[in-house]
Structures are given as structure tokens and as C-alpha cells.
Amino acid sequence: MLAYYKRTPKLNVIILFFLMLTTPSFADPSPPAPLVGFIAVQAQDLTLTDNLPGRLESSRDAVVRARVTGIVEKRLFREGAFVREGDVLFTIDNRPFKAALQSAKGTLAKVIAQKKLNEANVLRYRKLIDKKAVSQQVLDQAEATLASTIAEIEIAKASVIKAEIDLDYTTVTAPISGFIGQQEVTEGALVSASSATQMAQIRQIDPLYVNVQQSAANILNLKAMMQQQKRVHQSPEMAVKIFLDDGTPYQYPGKLIFTDVAVNAATGEAMVRASVPNPDKFLMPGLYVRVEMPLITLDDIFLIPQKAITRTDKGDILFVLNDDNTFTPRPVQIARSWKNNWIVTGGLQAGDKVIIDGMLKVHIMHAQKVTPVPLADLRNQATEKAAGTSQQPMKSETPAAGVK
């Protein structure tokens, strides 16, 4: 038993030496600085747009109506054809109107003759009154009769003009140039001036108008932004993009021409109108389209991905890289969001390196320094790593030979 205890120290030394050989050594216990993705920001000009639905309508739309009462004699156009302003479309039986014109002219000639007689009477009575052959009353009555005849002449002239106009209305012409639709009346039909019978309709489709409804809340927000930001201006004459119902872009850009000053009380929206060229007559009134129209243009702003900015009650903060790979929180001013980005209008300068990705790990590790990598490179590395993992061969599930 004593011999056993005498050999124990030697055995302990051998065991300790063996453990030293098999235990791994840790040269540096501190972890490496975490990777972060950054972008070097540059100022840019940004035009804010809004994509809204709308329907096309004719730029000019004229309904051809009867202006006299009569029987339609002829139709002189082809339905669906292009007509020019002044082209004859219909003729209405004009015989009653010719007779009315002749009657008006006869009445005018009659009162003109009566005027000559009354003028002669006045001259005669003025000579006789000097000789006291007639009374003053007779002369006054003759002068009044002459004045009444002069007034009747003016009435007769107006009747002649009215009869000429009615006669002209029996020839129905196109009030504007455009494409005419189907006829609403046929030969032999009675049309009425009192009911303004619709005879046809002409539409001018180059250009077309598209009316869209814009939210009044958005309009007010934009006006507030314009008041708050100095580097902003309106875009009243900028082109608008038109997209068909299936999303296909239309080849010709439109132009904003009108913004209503009142809000529809029922919908809370205001109307905005754009003019759309249609030289190929491809578009038609009534089509549903979407309109991407400019609202305002912001100058010298920075677009920062939303994940890079922390929004708090005390302000908005992002992190900027320093030259020694440390980072500094930076308060910034935000105008609004735009396509998964924040529009930063203050707090940044061109060339600042803004950390976009990786700050969550930095905060968890309480790291003071980081390993900066351009955001595009960092994402490429992640993509390549994911692709390599997915391409690793799967373990064969086929049993080995002889195994059942």
C-alpha cells in the first residue's frame, strides 16, 4: 500500500502532461468585429409621382341637335367617319322657312313704304301749322305715327334676320371636326327645336383628356411639405405617363393641364386633368387607364433604405461610419417615405458612409468597431453562400448493396 502512494506523484505528472497536449489553446479570446453593409450616399433630385386610375374622354364632344322643327330629308355622312367643321350632315325640309323669310321681307317692305307716307304727312303738317290750318295736336299725332313706323321697321328687319337664321338651320352642319357616331334620326323623321332632338354626336379624340381623382389629404400633405422644405418646387408642366388597363405603357406621354380648386364633398377628392396625344387614334374615349403623374420635385435629397433609420419620439437617427471603423449616431430630417426608402432632407452630406445592414448584431455584441463592407458586396456574398448551400449534394438514401 505504501509503494502505491510513492508512485502516485509520477502518475499525476504523466496525466497532467497528457492533458496539456490534448487541450486546445485560445490565442485571442475576443471575437472579430462584426460585418456591416454600408453605402456612400450622394445627393440627388427626386420627382415624386402618384399612380392613379382614370378614364379617357374626348377633348371636344359636340351633340348635334335640331334647331328648327321639320322633317329630315337627307343624311349626308357615313357613320364613324371623320367630319370637318362645317361639313353638311343633314338637310331638313326648308320650304316652310323660305316662305317665312319671304313673308318677313314683305312685312319689312310694307313698313318702309308706310314710313315714307308718314314722313310726308309730318312735312305737310309742319307747313300748315305755320298758317294755322291744322292744330298742334294733329302734328304731334303725325310725328308719333312716324316714330312708331320707324320702330316697326326695326322689328321687321329682326324678323327677316330670324327667318334667314331658321332657313340656315335647315342645313345641319358639323360644329367641330372629329369622328361622328351613329345617326340618331333617319330620313323622314320629325325633329323638334323645342325638344332639341339629338341627331348625331361628334367626338374629337386627338388629343384625349383623362380625369383622375386625387385625395385631398395627399394634396394637403404635399402643400405642407412645400411650405416646410426649401429645396422643393412644383412640376406643373411635367409629362405624365399613361398605362393601359393591362399595365402596358402608352408610347406618348401626356401633360398636366388642369387641377380643380374644389374638393368633392362626397368623395374627399379633387379632380386633376391631363391631355394625352392620340395621333394614331389608338386610344378611345371611355377606356380605363392608369396615370403616373408628377407631384413635386425635391432637390438635393438622399434616399436611405428604411431599415437603416431608427424613428423615435425624439427624432430620427442613423449610423455613419468613421475613418477608424467606429460609428456615430447621426440625427436626420425625413420628409416622407418613397419606395421602401426614407427621403432625407437634412443631416447628411454627400460621401457620408451610412450603415444599412448589420447594426442589430453590433448592438447585441456591444461592439465598438465594425468591419465595413459595401452593401452590394455584402449582399452578393450572402447570395453566393446561399447558392452554394443549396447546391451541396444530398446524401443518398439508396441502401447499400446487399442491405435489405
Side-chain angles (χ1 to χ4, degrees), residues 31-36 357-367 370:
L35 292 175
V36 295
D357 198 6
M359 283 306 299
L360 178 61
K361 185 175 181 181
V362 171
H363 291 317
I364 292 175
M365 296 176 62
H366 302 284
V370 295

Side-chain angles (χ1 to χ4, degrees), residues 260-325:
D260 203 348
V261 296
V263 176
N264 188 317
T267 62
E269 297 174 328
M271 187 186 76
V272 179
R273 171 175 288 178
S275 175
V276 183
N278 192 28
D280 302 331
K281 312 301 184 292
F282 178 76
L283 300 178
M284 295 180 292
L287 282 179
Y288 173 86
V289 295
R290 294 200 69 87
V291 182
E292 184 181 281
M293 61 182 185
L295 304 176
I296 57 175
T297 298
L298 300 172
D299 297 334
D300 298 329
I301 58 91
F302 299 92
L303 283 179
I304 305 299
Q306 292 183 355
K307 63 187 299 184
I309 297 180
T310 302
R311 309 204 71 183
T312 66
D313 295 337
K314 297 181 180 180
D316 304 314
I317 297 174
L318 51 71
F319 294 90
V320 178
L321 281 172
N322 300 321
D323 294 337
D324 59 354
N325 290 344

Side-chain angles (χ1 to χ4, degrees), residues 8 11 75 88 127 139 143 157 194 204 260 284 330 332 351 389:
T8 301
L11 180 61
R75 185 198 77 184
V88 179
K127 292 178 181 179
L139 176 61
E143 290 177 342
K157 288 181 179 179
S194 60
Q204 195 170 93
D260 203 348
M284 295 180 292
R330 179 83 61 84
V332 292
T389 301

Side-chain angles (χ1 to χ4, degrees), residues 62-70 72 92 169 172 184-185 190-201:
V63 176
V64 180
R65 298 183 182 275
R67 305 175 78 174
V68 292
T69 299
V72 177
I92 298 173
Y169 284 165
V172 182
E184 301 294 339
V185 294
L190 175 65
V191 294
S192 171
S194 60
S195 61
T197 305
Q198 180 174 337
M199 305 180 74
Q201 187 170 5

Side-chain angles (χ1 to χ4, degrees), residues 221-232:
N221 290 338
L222 291 170
K223 288 184 176 181
M225 185 188 303
M226 293 177 63
Q227 293 175 353
Q228 295 173 3
Q229 306 297 329
K230 296 180 180 179
R231 296 172 300 195
V232 62

Side-chain angles (χ1 to χ4, degrees), residues 372-386:
V373 179
L375 183 62
D377 295 343
L378 186 64
R379 289 177 175 173
N380 289 338
Q381 293 176 10
T383 303
E384 292 173 358
K385 183 177 179 181

